[in-house]
Amino acid sequence: MPGGGVFGNYVGRIERRQFVPRPRSEVFAFFSDAANLESLTPEFLAFHILTPRPIAMRPGTLIDYELKLFGIRFHWQTLIEQFEPESRFVDVQLTGPYRRWHHEHRFEEAQGGTWVSDHVDYEMPWGPLGRIAHALAVRRSLKQIFDFRAAKMGELFGAD
């Protein structure tokens, strides 16, 4: 639940679920290839992977990116904390624009395809200023990012 008190950092959660009419092995292979992340990210972020490819996805893998948020360029480094082939993986931010970012990607086999789920827990930095930034822009930006991703999945996989 969002919170953090009046003077604490804003804590948020994103939960998304989308049906993809493709086999789980195919969908997982696409999402676990870090090179595909750029295609799932809206252009306004100017998102680029800096880590040389191919990137071997496994627990302990570090991936470096750069992106632009609200005109400010950021370096973002994530750690693949958990990796369970065809089932789930978790990336956590080590450096970047958030105080904390924990993103679990889940893939569940279903009749006729795969359920793709995202569970993100994040915390804004800067106490009250972070709460204001979240209210004014970050919440909307995160919605745009995940909406773009859902639409792109529809294009690529015929997802709902």
Side-chain angles (χ1 to χ4, degrees), residues 11 24 30 39 41 43-45 64 66 69 91-92 96 112 121 131 133 147 150 153 156:
V11 177
R24 182 168 68 168
F30 178 84
S39 70
T41 305
E43 288 183 23
F44 75 84
L45 289 175
D64 291 287
E66 69 176 10
L69 282 172
D91 63 84
V92 296
D121 289 310
R131 296 176 73 77
D147 287 351
M153 286 171 57
L156 296 170

PDB file of all heavy atoms in Angstrom, residues 11 24 30 39 41 43-45 64 66 69 91-92 96 112 121 131 133 147 150 153 156:
ATOM      1  N   VAL A  11       6.193   5.225  -0.985  1.00  0.00           N
ATOM      2  CA  VAL A  11       6.345   3.816  -1.330  1.00  0.00           C
ATOM      3  C   VAL A  11       5.173   3.448  -2.223  1.00  0.00           C
ATOM      4  O   VAL A  11       4.016   3.724  -1.889  1.00  0.00           O
ATOM      5  CB  VAL A  11       6.358   2.933  -0.064  1.00  0.00           C
ATOM      6  CG1 VAL A  11       6.438   1.466  -0.432  1.00  0.00           C
ATOM      7  CG2 VAL A  11       7.518   3.324   0.849  1.00  0.00           C
ATOM      8  N   ARG A  24       4.502 -20.482 -23.071  1.00  0.00           N
ATOM      9  CA  ARG A  24       5.302 -19.866 -22.005  1.00  0.00           C
ATOM     10  C   ARG A  24       6.789 -19.857 -22.347  1.00  0.00           C
ATOM     11  O   ARG A  24       7.481 -18.873 -22.089  1.00  0.00           O
ATOM     12  CB  ARG A  24       5.055 -20.588 -20.680  1.00  0.00           C
ATOM     13  CG  ARG A  24       5.829 -19.964 -19.534  1.00  0.00           C
ATOM     14  CD  ARG A  24       5.396 -20.472 -18.195  1.00  0.00           C
ATOM     15  NE  ARG A  24       5.765 -21.862 -18.034  1.00  0.00           N
ATOM     16  CZ  ARG A  24       5.727 -22.512 -16.881  1.00  0.00           C
ATOM     17  NH1 ARG A  24       5.311 -21.886 -15.788  1.00  0.00           N
ATOM     18  NH2 ARG A  24       6.070 -23.762 -16.800  1.00  0.00           N
ATOM     19  N   PHE A  30      11.626 -14.377 -24.702  1.00  0.00           N
ATOM     20  CA  PHE A  30      11.627 -12.986 -25.142  1.00  0.00           C
ATOM     21  C   PHE A  30      11.941 -12.054 -23.975  1.00  0.00           C
ATOM     22  O   PHE A  30      12.797 -11.175 -24.076  1.00  0.00           O
ATOM     23  CB  PHE A  30      10.278 -12.627 -25.770  1.00  0.00           C
ATOM     24  CG  PHE A  30      10.204 -11.196 -26.203  1.00  0.00           C
ATOM     25  CD1 PHE A  30      10.706 -10.802 -27.438  1.00  0.00           C
ATOM     26  CD2 PHE A  30       9.638 -10.228 -25.386  1.00  0.00           C
ATOM     27  CE1 PHE A  30      10.649  -9.472 -27.848  1.00  0.00           C
ATOM     28  CE2 PHE A  30       9.585  -8.899 -25.768  1.00  0.00           C
ATOM     29  CZ  PHE A  30      10.092  -8.523 -27.012  1.00  0.00           C
ATOM     30  N   SER A  39      12.842  -2.447 -26.803  1.00  0.00           N
ATOM     31  CA  SER A  39      11.633  -2.416 -27.633  1.00  0.00           C
ATOM     32  C   SER A  39      10.364  -2.292 -26.792  1.00  0.00           C
ATOM     33  O   SER A  39       9.324  -1.900 -27.307  1.00  0.00           O
ATOM     34  CB  SER A  39      11.554  -3.652 -28.529  1.00  0.00           C
ATOM     35  OG  SER A  39      11.296  -4.816 -27.764  1.00  0.00           O
ATOM     36  N   THR A  41      10.146  -0.330 -24.137  1.00  0.00           N
ATOM     37  CA  THR A  41      10.254   0.914 -23.383  1.00  0.00           C
ATOM     38  C   THR A  41       9.938   2.102 -24.290  1.00  0.00           C
ATOM     39  O   THR A  41      10.471   2.194 -25.389  1.00  0.00           O
ATOM     40  CB  THR A  41      11.688   1.051 -22.813  1.00  0.00           C
ATOM     41  OG1 THR A  41      11.986  -0.125 -22.050  1.00  0.00           O
ATOM     42  CG2 THR A  41      11.805   2.260 -21.912  1.00  0.00           C
ATOM     43  N   GLU A  43       9.839   5.655 -26.184  1.00  0.00           N
ATOM     44  CA  GLU A  43      10.941   6.490 -26.670  1.00  0.00           C
ATOM     45  C   GLU A  43      11.244   7.680 -25.763  1.00  0.00           C
ATOM     46  O   GLU A  43      12.386   8.124 -25.694  1.00  0.00           O
ATOM     47  CB  GLU A  43      10.643   6.979 -28.081  1.00  0.00           C
ATOM     48  CG  GLU A  43      10.744   5.890 -29.121  1.00  0.00           C
ATOM     49  CD  GLU A  43      10.512   6.409 -30.535  1.00  0.00           C
ATOM     50  OE1 GLU A  43      10.696   7.618 -30.765  1.00  0.00           O
ATOM     51  OE2 GLU A  43      10.147   5.589 -31.392  1.00  0.00           O
ATOM     52  N   PHE A  44      10.235   8.208 -25.054  1.00  0.00           N
ATOM     53  CA  PHE A  44      10.475   9.403 -24.246  1.00  0.00           C
ATOM     54  C   PHE A  44      11.497   9.165 -23.136  1.00  0.00           C
ATOM     55  O   PHE A  44      12.059  10.110 -22.587  1.00  0.00           O
ATOM     56  CB  PHE A  44       9.171   9.998 -23.678  1.00  0.00           C
ATOM     57  CG  PHE A  44       8.558   9.240 -22.524  1.00  0.00           C
ATOM     58  CD1 PHE A  44       8.984   9.451 -21.222  1.00  0.00           C
ATOM     59  CD2 PHE A  44       7.509   8.349 -22.747  1.00  0.00           C
ATOM     60  CE1 PHE A  44       8.402   8.775 -20.155  1.00  0.00           C
ATOM     61  CE2 PHE A  44       6.926   7.679 -21.683  1.00  0.00           C
ATOM     62  CZ  PHE A  44       7.377   7.881 -20.389  1.00  0.00           C
ATOM     63  N   LEU A  45      11.800   7.903 -22.827  1.00  0.00           N
ATOM     64  CA  LEU A  45      12.801   7.606 -21.806  1.00  0.00           C
ATOM     65  C   LEU A  45      14.221   7.582 -22.356  1.00  0.00           C
ATOM     66  O   LEU A  45      15.175   7.531 -21.570  1.00  0.00           O
ATOM     67  CB  LEU A  45      12.498   6.259 -21.135  1.00  0.00           C
ATOM     68  CG  LEU A  45      11.291   6.237 -20.213  1.00  0.00           C
ATOM     69  CD1 LEU A  45      11.027   4.828 -19.721  1.00  0.00           C
ATOM     70  CD2 LEU A  45      11.479   7.177 -19.037  1.00  0.00           C
ATOM     71  N   ASP A  64      23.587  -2.669 -16.919  1.00  0.00           N
ATOM     72  CA  ASP A  64      23.663  -1.215 -16.855  1.00  0.00           C
ATOM     73  C   ASP A  64      22.871  -0.601 -18.005  1.00  0.00           C
ATOM     74  O   ASP A  64      22.954  -1.072 -19.141  1.00  0.00           O
ATOM     75  CB  ASP A  64      25.124  -0.760 -16.949  1.00  0.00           C
ATOM     76  CG  ASP A  64      25.900  -1.127 -15.712  1.00  0.00           C
ATOM     77  OD1 ASP A  64      25.665  -0.480 -14.680  1.00  0.00           O
ATOM     78  OD2 ASP A  64      26.723  -2.063 -15.772  1.00  0.00           O
ATOM     79  N   GLU A  66      21.121   3.436 -19.457  1.00  0.00           N
ATOM     80  CA  GLU A  66      20.965   4.866 -19.263  1.00  0.00           C
ATOM     81  C   GLU A  66      19.581   5.226 -19.769  1.00  0.00           C
ATOM     82  O   GLU A  66      19.045   4.587 -20.677  1.00  0.00           O
ATOM     83  CB  GLU A  66      22.061   5.680 -19.945  1.00  0.00           C
ATOM     84  CG  GLU A  66      22.021   5.686 -21.437  1.00  0.00           C
ATOM     85  CD  GLU A  66      23.099   6.593 -22.036  1.00  0.00           C
ATOM     86  OE1 GLU A  66      23.989   7.060 -21.321  1.00  0.00           O
ATOM     87  OE2 GLU A  66      23.012   6.825 -23.240  1.00  0.00           O
ATOM     88  N   LEU A  69      14.775  10.823 -17.561  1.00  0.00           N
ATOM     89  CA  LEU A  69      13.505  11.062 -16.872  1.00  0.00           C
ATOM     90  C   LEU A  69      13.366  12.552 -16.645  1.00  0.00           C
ATOM     91  O   LEU A  69      14.231  13.159 -16.002  1.00  0.00           O
ATOM     92  CB  LEU A  69      13.475  10.346 -15.516  1.00  0.00           C
ATOM     93  CG  LEU A  69      13.209   8.861 -15.508  1.00  0.00           C
ATOM     94  CD1 LEU A  69      13.407   8.311 -14.090  1.00  0.00           C
ATOM     95  CD2 LEU A  69      11.805   8.557 -15.985  1.00  0.00           C
ATOM     96  N   ASP A  91      14.404  -8.477 -10.844  1.00  0.00           N
ATOM     97  CA  ASP A  91      15.500  -7.514 -10.949  1.00  0.00           C
ATOM     98  C   ASP A  91      15.313  -6.453  -9.879  1.00  0.00           C
ATOM     99  O   ASP A  91      14.197  -6.058  -9.571  1.00  0.00           O
ATOM    100  CB  ASP A  91      15.598  -6.905 -12.353  1.00  0.00           C
ATOM    101  CG  ASP A  91      14.382  -6.111 -12.767  1.00  0.00           C
ATOM    102  OD1 ASP A  91      14.292  -4.920 -12.399  1.00  0.00           O
ATOM    103  OD2 ASP A  91      13.519  -6.673 -13.469  1.00  0.00           O
ATOM    104  N   VAL A  92      16.434  -6.026  -9.294  1.00  0.00           N
ATOM    105  CA  VAL A  92      16.416  -4.976  -8.286  1.00  0.00           C
ATOM    106  C   VAL A  92      17.391  -3.889  -8.712  1.00  0.00           C
ATOM    107  O   VAL A  92      18.438  -4.165  -9.290  1.00  0.00           O
ATOM    108  CB  VAL A  92      16.763  -5.501  -6.874  1.00  0.00           C
ATOM    109  CG1 VAL A  92      15.716  -6.492  -6.389  1.00  0.00           C
ATOM    110  CG2 VAL A  92      18.137  -6.130  -6.836  1.00  0.00           C
ATOM    111  N   GLY A  96      20.202   4.152  -9.458  1.00  0.00           N
ATOM    112  CA  GLY A  96      19.197   4.671 -10.373  1.00  0.00           C
ATOM    113  C   GLY A  96      18.348   5.737  -9.723  1.00  0.00           C
ATOM    114  O   GLY A  96      18.677   6.235  -8.649  1.00  0.00           O
ATOM    115  N   GLY A 112      -4.104 -22.062 -23.900  1.00  0.00           N
ATOM    116  CA  GLY A 112      -3.983 -21.195 -25.071  1.00  0.00           C
ATOM    117  C   GLY A 112      -2.913 -20.133 -24.982  1.00  0.00           C
ATOM    118  O   GLY A 112      -2.828 -19.270 -25.849  1.00  0.00           O
ATOM    119  N   ASP A 121       7.620  -3.139  -6.531  1.00  0.00           N
ATOM    120  CA  ASP A 121       7.581  -2.329  -5.320  1.00  0.00           C
ATOM    121  C   ASP A 121       8.705  -1.312  -5.454  1.00  0.00           C
ATOM    122  O   ASP A 121       9.840  -1.671  -5.796  1.00  0.00           O
ATOM    123  CB  ASP A 121       7.794  -3.191  -4.073  1.00  0.00           C
ATOM    124  CG  ASP A 121       6.591  -4.073  -3.793  1.00  0.00           C
ATOM    125  OD1 ASP A 121       5.465  -3.550  -3.781  1.00  0.00           O
ATOM    126  OD2 ASP A 121       6.781  -5.287  -3.594  1.00  0.00           O
ATOM    127  N   ARG A 131       7.627  12.701  -2.645  1.00  0.00           N
ATOM    128  CA  ARG A 131       6.166  12.512  -2.619  1.00  0.00           C
ATOM    129  C   ARG A 131       5.498  13.482  -3.602  1.00  0.00           C
ATOM    130  O   ARG A 131       4.582  13.126  -4.322  1.00  0.00           O
ATOM    131  CB  ARG A 131       5.616  12.706  -1.209  1.00  0.00           C
ATOM    132  CG  ARG A 131       6.122  11.665  -0.221  1.00  0.00           C
ATOM    133  CD  ARG A 131       5.650  11.941   1.195  1.00  0.00           C
ATOM    134  NE  ARG A 131       4.238  11.651   1.348  1.00  0.00           N
ATOM    135  CZ  ARG A 131       3.730  10.426   1.472  1.00  0.00           C
ATOM    136  NH1 ARG A 131       4.516   9.388   1.442  1.00  0.00           N
ATOM    137  NH2 ARG A 131       2.442  10.253   1.620  1.00  0.00           N
ATOM    138  N   ALA A 133       6.995  14.921  -6.253  1.00  0.00           N
ATOM    139  CA  ALA A 133       7.369  14.502  -7.613  1.00  0.00           C
ATOM    140  C   ALA A 133       6.521  13.328  -8.067  1.00  0.00           C
ATOM    141  O   ALA A 133       6.082  13.269  -9.225  1.00  0.00           O
ATOM    142  CB  ALA A 133       8.855  14.133  -7.663  1.00  0.00           C
ATOM    143  N   ASP A 147       1.672   1.002 -19.687  1.00  0.00           N
ATOM    144  CA  ASP A 147       0.661   0.986 -20.744  1.00  0.00           C
ATOM    145  C   ASP A 147       1.322   0.760 -22.107  1.00  0.00           C
ATOM    146  O   ASP A 147       0.813   0.006 -22.933  1.00  0.00           O
ATOM    147  CB  ASP A 147      -0.145   2.284 -20.771  1.00  0.00           C
ATOM    148  CG  ASP A 147      -1.128   2.411 -19.625  1.00  0.00           C
ATOM    149  OD1 ASP A 147      -1.327   1.425 -18.874  1.00  0.00           O
ATOM    150  OD2 ASP A 147      -1.687   3.521 -19.458  1.00  0.00           O
ATOM    151  N   ALA A 150       2.288  -2.879 -22.420  1.00  0.00           N
ATOM    152  CA  ALA A 150       1.138  -3.736 -22.702  1.00  0.00           C
ATOM    153  C   ALA A 150       0.734  -3.632 -24.169  1.00  0.00           C
ATOM    154  O   ALA A 150       0.442  -4.644 -24.821  1.00  0.00           O
ATOM    155  CB  ALA A 150      -0.033  -3.357 -21.795  1.00  0.00           C
ATOM    156  N   MET A 153       3.285  -5.450 -26.311  1.00  0.00           N
ATOM    157  CA  MET A 153       3.080  -6.903 -26.211  1.00  0.00           C
ATOM    158  C   MET A 153       1.926  -7.321 -27.114  1.00  0.00           C
ATOM    159  O   MET A 153       1.983  -8.392 -27.730  1.00  0.00           O
ATOM    160  CB  MET A 153       2.814  -7.310 -24.758  1.00  0.00           C
ATOM    161  CG  MET A 153       4.053  -7.261 -23.894  1.00  0.00           C
ATOM    162  SD  MET A 153       3.716  -7.476 -22.125  1.00  0.00           S
ATOM    163  CE  MET A 153       2.876  -9.056 -22.097  1.00  0.00           C
ATOM    164  N   LEU A 156       3.402  -7.429 -30.621  1.00  0.00           N
ATOM    165  CA  LEU A 156       4.365  -8.505 -30.831  1.00  0.00           C
ATOM    166  C   LEU A 156       3.777  -9.904 -30.716  1.00  0.00           C
ATOM    167  O   LEU A 156       4.165 -10.813 -31.438  1.00  0.00           O
ATOM    168  CB  LEU A 156       5.520  -8.368 -29.823  1.00  0.00           C
ATOM    169  CG  LEU A 156       6.379  -7.120 -29.955  1.00  0.00           C
ATOM    170  CD1 LEU A 156       7.318  -7.002 -28.759  1.00  0.00           C
ATOM    171  CD2 LEU A 156       7.176  -7.169 -31.257  1.00  0.00           C
TER     172      LEU A 156
END
